[in-house]
């Protein structure tokens, strides 16, 4: 991403004329990440895909999900990603917030299972504080999922105008954005089309 390129140039102190040797080669997605041939009604599920490293801000997503449940009590959260004992904060916070009954901790998913989860979700959410590219956003959009993501690092570049972007530290804004997609089918359809 351009954001990662800027980070490399800054971190390694690369300046002109050598800066033009650092080039951006964007990622793409595998062919299984595509919308369903016929769109069924989206589930009332928020999907997160990824690890639990602190920069991924999964606790922020859990807090936004808890806030969202105040207006959308039937919504669920599906978390796909390998458990990591180095980062126990998210499962502990989910328990402390009383969210356990509404969260599906899937763990590892195969490529086809992941593609289906993207197609089935009502909203894909990534409130990461830093991403070098944000491949899961691209996979979600390629699969036809409406996206709510962070407005930091590479994510605005990857999502363009095809996602609702929020400050990952603004729990209220994240909850409102997810609510907008779930509550207004026109917003969801517009994001899918983009």
């Amino acid at each position: 991403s351009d954001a990662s390129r800027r980070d490399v140039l800054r971190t390694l102190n690369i300046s002109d004329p050598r800066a033009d040797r650092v080039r951006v080669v964007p990622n793409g997605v595998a062919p299984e990440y595509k919308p369903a041939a016929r769109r069924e009604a989206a589930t009332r599920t928020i999907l997160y895909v990824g690890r639990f490293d602190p920069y991924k801000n999964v606790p922020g997503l859990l807090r936004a999900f808890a806030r969202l449940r105040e207006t959308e009590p039937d919504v669920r959260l599906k978390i796909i990603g390998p458990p990591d004992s180095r980062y126990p904060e998210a499962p502990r916070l989910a328990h402390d917030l009383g969210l356990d009954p509404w969260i599906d901790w899937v763990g590892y998913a195969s490529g086809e299972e992941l593609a289906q989860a993207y197609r089935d979700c009502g909203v894909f959410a990534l409130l990461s504080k830093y991403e070098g590219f944000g491949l899961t956003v691209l996979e979600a959009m390629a699969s036809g999922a409406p996206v709510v993501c962070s407005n930091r690092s590479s994510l605005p570049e990857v999502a363009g105008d095809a996602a609702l972007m929020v400050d990952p530290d603004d729990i209220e804004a994240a909850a409102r954005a997810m609510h907008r997609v779930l509550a207004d089918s026109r917003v969801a359809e517009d994001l899918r089309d983009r």
Side-chain angles (χ1 to χ4, degrees):
S1 67
D2 285 323
S4 290
R5 179 182 185 275
R6 288 189 300 273
D7 290 344
V8 167
L9 294 175
R10 185 185 69 252
T11 303
L12 299 179
N13 200 25
I14 299 172
S15 58
D16 290 332
R18 295 181 345 184
D20 65 340
R21 294 170 64 188
V22 179
R23 295 188 180 101
V24 174
V25 180
N27 281 320
V29 297
E32 62 261 25
Y33 299 105
K34 61 183 179 238
R38 189 170 131 295
R39 177 83 180 160
E40 300 294 330
T43 64
R44 307 272 301 159
T45 301
I46 308 296
L47 175 65
Y48 167 80
V49 175
R51 298 187 327 240
F52 296 95
D53 302 58
Y55 72 91
K56 293 287 192 179
N57 195 27
V58 178
L61 175 59
L62 292 171
R63 287 184 182 94
F65 178 66
R67 178 68 67 187
L68 174 65
R69 284 194 38 75
E70 292 173 9
T71 57
E72 303 284 340
D74 63 335
V75 72
R76 297 191 62 79
L77 176 62
K78 180 182 279 191
I79 296 179
I80 296 179
D84 191 332
S85 61
R86 296 174 302 166
Y87 309 115
E89 297 83 9
R92 189 179 307 135
L93 179 63
H95 178 75
D96 292 348
L97 293 173
L99 296 174
D100 288 335
W102 296 280
I103 299 178
D104 300 313
W105 302 90
V106 176
Y108 174 80
S110 71
E112 186 49 46
E113 290 168 331
L114 181 57
Q116 190 62 49
Y118 284 131
R119 286 190 288 270
D120 290 345
C121 73
V123 179
F124 173 76
L126 181 64
L127 302 181
S128 186
K129 295 184 180 195
Y130 181 85
E131 290 290 331
F133 184 79
L135 184 59
T136 57
V137 167
L138 196 61
E139 290 172 343
M141 291 190 305
S143 301
V147 172
V148 171
C149 70
S150 167
N151 62 3
R152 293 196 188 159
S153 65
S154 65
L155 295 175
E157 176 185 345
V158 173
D161 68 350
L164 297 182
M165 283 182 252
V166 297
D167 180 328
D169 293 322
D170 189 338
I171 301 306
E172 298 293 329
R176 280 193 309 271
M178 291 186 287
H179 172 76
R180 256 183 88 197
V181 176
L182 291 172
D184 190 336
S185 61
R186 292 168 302 175
V187 171
E189 200 56 43
D190 180 55
L191 291 173
R192 281 188 202 96
D193 288 346
R194 289 170 183 257

